[in-house]
C-alpha cells in the first residue's frame, strides 16, 4: 500500500486522500457503466461495522449482497448455491399450497429451521440467477476467500483497501479506512449513487427504444396507405386518359370528311 500512503505518524500510516478521491471516482464510473449494461454487482461485507450500512445501500439499488459468513464456493461452485436458493423457494411453495400443514410437528420444526438458516445466509442473493459481473468488497483482507474466487473466475473486484491489505489482487483499489463506519458509509454512498445513475440511464434508454419502435410501427401503415393512395391516383389518371382518347378520335373524324 506504499503508493497510497501519505505519511507515517506515531506508527500509524495516513492514507493520501487525494488518491482516495481519484480512485473512488474511477471505481464509481466503472460501476456506473456496469449497472447501465443491466448487469449485477455483488456487495460483500461481513464485518460488524459495515454489515448494516452495506445492506441498506445495496437494498436501495436492488443489488445482491452478503453480510453473513461468506459461503465457500459461492462463485466457483455457483450451481450448488442456486440449488440451496431453489430449496428455499420450494419450502415457500409448500407453505402456500398446504403441503406444509400435512407434516408432523417435528418435520415442520426442522423445515422451519432450515428455511430460517437459508434465509439468513442466502436470502439477500435470492435474485442472483447468474454470476455477478462485478464484486464490491469492504475489507479485502477479511474477505480474502471472496477475492480469490472472483480472481479465479475473472470477475472484476472493487474493494476498500486499508493499509494492512494487499492491493495486488484488486482490480479497482479504493484506499481508505475499512474500520471506520463513517468512511465506509461515505464510500458506499458515492458508489451506490453512481450505480443508481447507471440504472436510471438504462431505464431512459429502454423507454426511448420502446418509443422509437412504437413510432416505427405506426409509421409503417401510414407509408403503406400513402403508397396505396398514389397507386390509386395513378390508376385513375390512366383510366381518364383512356376515356379521353376515343372522344378525340370521334371529334377528328367529321373534319376529315
Amino acid at each position: 500500500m506504499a503508493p497510497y500512503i501519505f505519511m507515517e505518524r506515531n506508527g500509524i500510516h495516513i492514507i493520501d486522500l487525494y488518491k482516495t478521491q481519484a480512485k473512488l471516482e474511477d471505481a464509481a464510473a466503472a460501476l456506473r457503466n456496469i449497472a447501465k449494461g443491466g448487469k449485477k454487482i455483488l456487495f460483500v461485507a461481513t464485518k460488524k461495522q459495515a454489515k448494516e450500512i452495506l445492506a441498506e445501500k445495496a437494498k436501495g439499488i436492488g443489488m445482491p449482497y452478503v453480510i453473513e459468513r461468506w459461503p465457500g464456493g459461492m462463485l466457483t461452485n455457483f450451481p450448488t448455491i442456486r440449488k440451496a436458493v431453489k430449496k428455499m423457494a420450494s419450502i415457500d411453495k409448500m407453505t402456500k399450497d398446504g403441503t406444509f400443514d400435512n407434516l408432523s410437528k417435528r418435520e415442520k420444526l426442522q423445515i422451519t429451521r432450515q428455511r430460517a438458516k437459508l434465509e439468513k445466509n442466502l436470502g439477500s442473493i435470492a435474485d442472483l440467477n447468474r454470476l455477478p459481473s462485478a464484486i464490491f468488497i469492504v475489507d479485502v483482507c477479511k474477505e480474502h476467500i471472496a477475492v480469490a474466487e472472483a480472481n479465479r473466475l475473472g470477475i472484476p473486484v472493487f474493494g476498500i483497501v486499508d493499509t494492512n491489505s494487499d492491493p495486488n489482487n484488486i482490480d479497482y483499489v479504493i484506499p481508505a479506512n475499512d474500520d471506520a463506519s463513517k468512511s465506509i458509509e461515505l464510500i458506499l454512498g458515492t458508489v451506490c449513487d453512481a450505480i443508481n445513475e447507471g440504472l436510471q440511464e438504462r431505464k431512459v434508454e429502454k423507454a426511448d427504444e420502446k418509443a422509437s419502435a412504437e413510432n416505427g410501427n405506426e409509421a409503417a401503415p401510414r407509408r403503406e396507405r400513402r403508397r396505396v393512395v398514389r397507386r390509386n391516383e395513378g390508376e385513375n389518371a390512366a383510366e381518364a386518359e383512356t376515356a379521353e382518347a376515343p372522344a378525340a378520335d370521334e371529334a377528328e373524324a367529321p373534319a376529315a370528311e
Side-chain angles (χ1 to χ4, degrees), residues 225-240:
R225 284 197 294 272
R226 284 198 294 268
R227 290 196 196 99
V228 172
V229 169
R230 285 197 295 268
R231 189 166 60 247
N232 291 340
E233 288 176 353
E235 292 175 355
N236 293 337
E239 290 177 358

Side-chain angles (χ1 to χ4, degrees), residues 163-185:
T163 55
N164 63 341
S165 304
D166 182 6
N168 290 327
N169 295 325
I170 312 302
D171 298 288
Y172 291 85
V173 176
I174 304 174
N177 185 352
D178 58 18
D179 293 317
S181 57
K182 288 185 178 180
S183 171
I184 295 169
E185 186 174 7

Side-chain angles (χ1 to χ4, degrees), residues 2 14 35 42-43 53-54 63 94 108-109 122 153 157 164 174 205:
I14 299 173
L42 177 64
F43 286 80
I53 298 170
L54 183 136
M63 290 294 173
M94 288 172 60
K108 285 181 181 179
L109 183 61
L122 305 175
L153 296 174
V157 180
N164 63 341
I174 304 174
E205 287 182 357

Side-chain angles (χ1 to χ4, degrees), residues 27-41 43 61-63 133-134 158 191-203 205-206:
L31 289 169
R32 178 180 176 178
N33 290 332
I34 292 172
K36 188 177 178 181
K39 299 172 182 177
K40 291 288 185 180
I41 301 158
F43 286 80
I61 55 175
M63 290 294 173
S133 297
F158 297 74
V191 164
C192 290
D193 287 344
I195 293 173
N196 191 45
E197 287 178 8
L199 294 173
Q200 295 303 321
E201 288 177 6
R202 178 174 172 78
K203 285 183 181 178
E205 287 182 357
K206 279 194 167 184

Side-chain angles (χ1 to χ4, degrees), residues 4 16-34 136 158-160 171-176 186-195 197:
Y4 306 105
D16 189 341
L17 294 181
Y18 286 105
K19 292 186 178 180
T20 299
Q21 182 181 7
K23 289 293 186 179
L24 179 57
E25 290 175 356
D26 292 343
L31 289 169
R32 178 180 176 178
N33 290 332
I34 292 172
F136 187 97
F158 297 74
I160 299 178
D171 298 288
Y172 291 85
V173 176
I174 304 174
L186 178 63
I187 291 172
L188 284 175
T190 303
V191 164
C192 290
D193 287 344
I195 293 173
E197 287 178 8

Side-chain angles (χ1 to χ4, degrees), residues 97-108:
D97 62 15
T99 307
F100 189 75
D101 297 330
N102 298 327
L103 299 175
S104 65
K105 188 175 181 180
R106 183 179 178 181
E107 288 174 329
K108 285 181 181 179

